Amino acid sequence: MSMPNVEYQPSLYFMVAMRPMVGQTHGLENFPDMTQYARPVTVATVDVTLSRQQGLWRFDFSAS
């Protein structure tokens, strides 16, 4: 019996967390705009630039 060829694709997940109001806590459902970055295996460094456009957060990635 042989094993199937499995590829590993590391990913990083980014989100913006706003300070909760008094008495509230964060849960994953509070972050619908979570952004995934599928990092190539050959990449050692990822720079992330965060900006806000028309009320929406934007993540720009630069890998080296």
Side-chain angles (χ1 to χ4, degrees):
M1 178 181 253
S2 64
M3 292 294 291
N5 185 13
V6 178
E7 292 185 26
Y8 172 68
Q9 181 63 53
S11 293
L12 302 172
Y13 293 85
F14 295 87
M15 64 187 88
V16 174
M18 303 301 283
R19 181 178 292 210
M21 295 172 45
V22 174
Q24 292 183 338
T25 59
H26 291 297
L28 285 179
E29 63 275 1
N30 296 103
F31 303 103
D33 294 331
M34 192 179 327
T35 300
Q36 178 185 13
Y37 174 72
R39 184 182 67 85
V41 178
T42 58
V43 169
T45 304
V46 177
D47 293 320
V48 182
T49 303
L50 180 65
S51 60
R52 194 167 186 183
Q53 297 174 349
Q54 298 178 355
L56 299 175
W57 292 102
R58 176 184 168 97
F59 295 86
D60 292 305
F61 302 100
S62 174
S64 58

